[in-house]
Amino acid sequence: MNERYSRQELFRPIGKEGQNKIRQKSVLIVGAGALGAASAESLTRAGVKRIVLVDRDYVDWTNLQRQQLYTENDAKQQLPKVIAAKNRLAEINSEVEIQAHVMDMGIEEAEELIKGINLILDATDNFETRLLINDLSQKYKVPWIYGACVGSYGISYTIIPGQGPCLNCFINKIPAYNQTCDTAGIIAPAVQMVTAYQTAEALKILVEDFQGVRRKIVTFDLWENQHVQLGMEKAKKEDCPSCGKNPTYPHLEKNAALKTAVLCGRDTVQIRPSFNREIDLKEMEQRLSPHGKVRRNLYLLELQNGSRRLVLFKDGRALVHGTKDAAEAKSLYHRFLG
């Protein structure tokens, strides 16, 4: 067991001192899908003290192509992803404490989970949660690493409170790519590339080598052979409500979350996004047509997906028919709209 981390310790920027620091650190990973599973495995092998995993979903057959911790047996049992991940990670490294939370992380849950955490890894599928993570990071001075991938495209950026802009400063400047794995598909190499960027940055932060942290946002498209790094220093806003001179952390307020309401007397949940978004209904029709029967007029679009019917309006508001479960409705909304 004493040789377990020897090759990592031989890497000079880490060494024995850095490994000792890694062994004292706790990481919160929000999402246990493709990115979350891969990052959790890498950090478990690296020997962190504790990993806190949060995810609301269970293992599905469509996950197995890219979500590396899960097996056919997990899909057969429909195990919650964090439980399946915990079982596998315990076999990889029994020294690491794995805490698994089957939940849709909201504001109250986030405020509890952040306690004792040294780093947050983003493995989510929507900007509502990312903006929550961003404000959580700024309020409690905990670094976080943004990451996303779809198709053959990926993006990553490291945010350290007090150093440079936060996500809220430049969210409108992020290269537009608002498709999802359910609408555009995904290849496993894109997942592995984002994971490599995220976990490399994670190790730098865990050994406290902040000078080595990459200060640029990186985007790539493996199929199109594109790779771009963008400096974000000028994106910093002094009046940013999340990281400016007088922060209010708006995405930690109760009215900041995606708003859901079960409509009285109807088997329907209404969803309103937490920030304004303009939907191109014609483009959305093309994107969603492989996933069910789609109808569109000048004002709205309707998707029939199994027993659920989603009606989407131009302003991003949606009605999810066929359920009274707000969590299920939100999951469907994020699945198709990102």
Side-chain angles (χ1 to χ4, degrees):
M1 295 292 286
N2 292 334
E3 297 297 313
R4 178 171 207 136
Y5 308 109
S6 61
R7 300 304 184 269
Q8 193 160 276
E9 291 173 353
L10 285 171
F11 181 61
R12 188 172 298 174
I14 294 180
K16 289 186 178 294
E17 182 180 350
Q19 187 61 44
N20 288 334
K21 290 179 179 179
I22 290 172
R23 294 290 297 128
Q24 299 171 33
K25 300 296 173 62
S26 296
V27 181
L28 170 62
I29 302 179
V30 185
L35 290 179
S39 295
E41 180 174 339
S42 292
L43 294 180
T44 295
R45 293 185 184 278
V48 298
K49 176 184 178 182
R50 179 172 64 114
I51 292 177
V52 180
L53 273 175
V54 185
D55 193 279
R56 64 192 174 196
D57 205 358
Y58 58 87
V59 181
D60 181 79
W61 287 94
T62 61
N63 302 149
L64 302 183
Q65 163 254 350
R66 66 197 181 281
Q67 299 183 17
Q68 65 189 49
L69 286 179
Y70 309 127
T71 67
E72 290 186 353
N73 193 48
D74 296 328
K76 288 176 183 176
Q77 296 184 56
Q78 292 186 312
L79 276 182
K81 288 182 180 179
V82 293
I83 302 302
K86 181 177 180 178
N87 293 341
R88 176 65 178 136
L89 294 173
E91 294 177 341
I92 291 172
N93 191 344
S94 60
E95 296 179 354
V96 178
E97 178 186 353
I98 307 295
Q99 295 180 357
H101 298 273
V102 185
M103 66 168 64
D104 182 13
M105 189 184 77
I107 297 166
E108 292 182 3
E109 294 86 355
E111 296 266 13
E112 283 296 317
L113 292 170
I114 193 64
K115 295 176 181 177
I117 293 296
N118 303 105
L119 172 67
I120 307 170
L121 284 186
D122 163 35
T124 66
D125 61 0
N126 65 89
F127 274 96
E128 175 197 2
T129 306
R130 290 188 179 110
L131 287 167
L132 188 161
I133 291 171
N134 183 72
D135 277 12
L136 193 71
S137 161
Q138 296 298 322
K139 180 177 179 179
Y140 292 98
K141 311 304 180 193
V142 176
W144 77 284
I145 304 173
Y146 161 53
C149 53
V150 65
S152 56
Y153 170 90
I155 184 169
S156 181
Y157 183 62
T158 302
I159 296 173
I160 300 176
Q163 299 183 25
C166 75
L167 182 64
N168 211 6
C169 288
F170 63 83
I171 188 169
N172 292 327
K173 294 185 167 103
I174 293 176
Y177 209 101
N178 60 357
Q179 301 225 40
T180 72
C181 296
D182 285 279
T183 59
I186 188 167
I187 57 172
V191 175
Q192 298 303 323
M193 182 70 82
V194 175
T195 300
Y197 278 115
Q198 285 190 296
T199 53
E201 294 298 292
L203 289 174
K204 296 174 189 177
I205 292 170
L206 295 176
V207 301
E208 301 170 16
D209 179 12
F210 292 99
Q211 293 300 315
V213 171
R214 177 173 36 81
R215 304 295 173 174
K216 296 182 178 181
I217 194 168
V218 61
T219 71
F220 62 84
D221 190 317
L222 295 176
W223 208 264
E224 299 297 330
N225 303 309
Q226 297 173 355
H227 188 280
V228 177
Q229 293 194 63
L230 302 172
M232 302 303 294
E233 295 84 357
K234 294 182 179 179
K236 172 69 176 176
K237 296 179 180 178
E238 294 302 319
D239 61 349
C240 174
S242 298
C243 72
K245 292 183 178 179
N246 299 294
T248 58
Y249 312 116
H251 299 283
L252 291 179
E253 297 175 359
K254 290 185 178 180
N255 63 356
L258 194 70
K259 300 171 181 64
T260 61
V262 179
L263 300 190
C264 183
R266 300 171 64 185
D267 199 20
T268 300
V269 177
Q270 176 179 263
I271 296 178
R272 298 184 66 176
S274 55
F275 52 90
N276 293 331
R277 59 186 303 183
E278 184 71 21
I279 301 295
D280 183 331
L281 295 179
K282 183 177 180 180
E283 186 273 336
M284 190 63 69
E285 179 183 25
Q286 296 175 345
R287 187 200 300 187
L288 297 182
S289 58
H291 303 280
K293 184 178 180 181
V294 179
R295 296 191 302 174
R296 173 177 63 89
N297 60 29
L298 293 175
Y299 312 101
L300 57 85
L301 175 148
E302 177 188 81
L303 167 68
Q304 185 74 46
N305 180 260
S307 61
R308 304 292 182 258
R309 184 163 57 94
L310 186 149
V311 177
L312 178 67
F313 297 86
K314 281 186 174 182
D315 61 358
R317 183 172 61 89
L319 298 176
V320 181
H321 299 280
T323 182
K324 294 180 181 178
D325 186 334
E328 180 186 1
K330 283 175 62 178
S331 179
L332 191 70
Y333 186 91
H334 290 316
R335 175 184 172 191
F336 291 118
L337 302 184

